[in-house]
Amino acid sequence: MDQLTFAGAPGVIVLSAYAVMMLAIGFWVSRGRRGVRDDMQSYYLAGRNLGVLVLFFTLYATQYSGNNIVGYAPSAYRMGFAWWQSVMFMTVIIGGYLLFAPRLHKIARKNRFITPTDWLRHRFGSPAVSLVAALLMLWALGNYLLEQLVAMGHGISGLTGGTVPYQVAMLAFVFVMLAYSWLGGMRAVAFTDVMQGIALLLGVLVLVGGGLYLVGGGLGDAFGHVVTAEPDKAATPPLEGSVSWLSILVLVGIGAAVYPHAIQRVYAAESAATLRRSLARMAWMPLITTALVFMVGIIAIQLYPGLSDAESEQLVGLIANDVAGINPFFYVMMILLFGGVVAAIVSTADSVLLAFSSIISKDIVRQHLAPSASEKTVLLVGKLGGVIALAGLLVLAWNPPTLLVNIFVLKFELLIQIAPAFIIGLYWKRMASAPVLCGMVVGALISGGMALAGVPTLYGVHAGVVGLAVNTVVAVLGSLLVSGRSLPQAQEDDTDPREDAARPGEEGAADQV
């Protein structure tokens, strides 16, 4: 993005407009909803009233960031047709949601859950399980937020042609993000998600159309060029590559679905029917977003042959420059696209920060430090805790040391270790807390140890998936050994599949959908 010839004053204007709109949304939401300032349910879950459209876009923003646009096209350029797997990554995440989201939503609404850890506390009744899970989630969220801060600084600096330096760019939009999310909570975040989602979708569509105009043919011609000019990029991948592909489908599909900010959107849906409708629409988005970005990378093989790996990282900027030169319409749309990319990065960061703050409020302060504190106080401490954590991450992002960045790469590898407790625990009543705790700890140690030791895969299987496999075996076999232990009746009722049809109102409507 540093090579954008259309950057400069237009970029400053577009980003300023995005910032003003974000602040206006936060002010508008807070003005009409006083409870959002001192009530955790209102602040963190938008009062559990997100409708189909807003829920769809906030789920979309959770799954797709500006990094997907900027990073996936270069991967398609380097790997060729093998990078079609990126479309599968995003598709399988929907499958991950469907493994547990509708069922968890019903239980969460009945028991007024705020954070993902509330489900584990309710299901297993173990402070140790809840605390370990909360720490794993905080680590993953901190990692994700650090990534977004770095991307935010580079994106804004690139779009403004260096007019706004990297560090100043981070500070400016972090302030904007803190302001509107502090004022409006999840509702403000969700409405900004709608804005950036629309900008991103339109921009990517125009980018693909402009790229096809530049090559002077259709997609068939671009694909045919790859087969003819660079057949290695159209070849069948080796066995280990295929195993790695399947492994990362598991890692991303389950890991992204159990992101804390994703689970909180499941809680925030106004009904199970709303959630299912939103997920049904999300199932089409990989073809409308990730597949289009894949096409950008394939088109670029014909437009810019022979780029090195480092040069290919600037691919989206290269093609956007050329598309912007077609006519004024494309010029304006490319500015809006990169403004949308930056807005998407900011939108992802605010969702992560909100989830981080909620875990501090509910799972650390309320459960372990100040159980008798008022909800307003706990919420304020969570907000301040998020700000302090953000300040620490800003220090790392200012001039990130390589070693620390490598350590923070552990994201999905650790986060996915909470999946057996979430997913299997929803359906299997005999799953016990002690084996679940042991499984999470062992899985995290294995996956984290492999990654830090420089062994990211084992015969093509990613470290996180290796850890998950061992984690699941320990949790399941251990639970079988202590199978005499039973859950309280209330919890059994929560996980009884027959309850789906028990109520004729909200849940009955969900089943009809």
Side-chain angles (χ1 to χ4, degrees), residues 102-103 271-281 500 510-511 513:
R103 192 176 182 85
S271 68
T274 295
L275 176 63
R276 293 181 185 182
R277 290 191 188 107
S278 297
L279 290 176
R281 287 156 178 77
D500 286 342
D511 287 339
V513 173

Side-chain angles (χ1 to χ4, degrees), residues 115-137:
T115 70
T117 315
D118 282 340
W119 155 243
L120 299 179
R121 189 178 300 112
H122 171 82
R123 170 63 176 80
F124 296 105
S126 167
V129 169
S130 302
L131 182 59
V132 170
L135 293 176
L136 290 176
M137 287 187 279

Side-chain angles (χ1 to χ4, degrees), residues 71-88:
Y72 279 17
S75 295
Y77 177 89
R78 292 189 294 266
M79 296 176 61
F81 294 154
W83 189 242
W84 182 253
Q85 63 187 276
S86 63
V87 180
M88 301 302 104

Side-chain angles (χ1 to χ4, degrees), residues 339-359:
V341 167
V342 172
I345 294 170
V346 176
S347 183
T348 301
D350 61 29
S351 300
V352 173
L353 181 62
L354 200 68
F356 193 101
S357 172
S358 71
I359 293 173

Side-chain angles (χ1 to χ4, degrees), residues 1-4 70 74 78 304 307-321 338:
M1 293 175 71
D2 294 333
Q3 302 179 24
L4 298 178
V70 177
R78 292 189 294 266
Y304 314 107
L307 294 181
S308 67
D309 287 354
E311 290 170 336
S312 70
E313 288 299 320
Q314 302 295 324
L315 182 63
V316 176
L318 286 173
I319 193 169
N321 279 331
F338 276 88

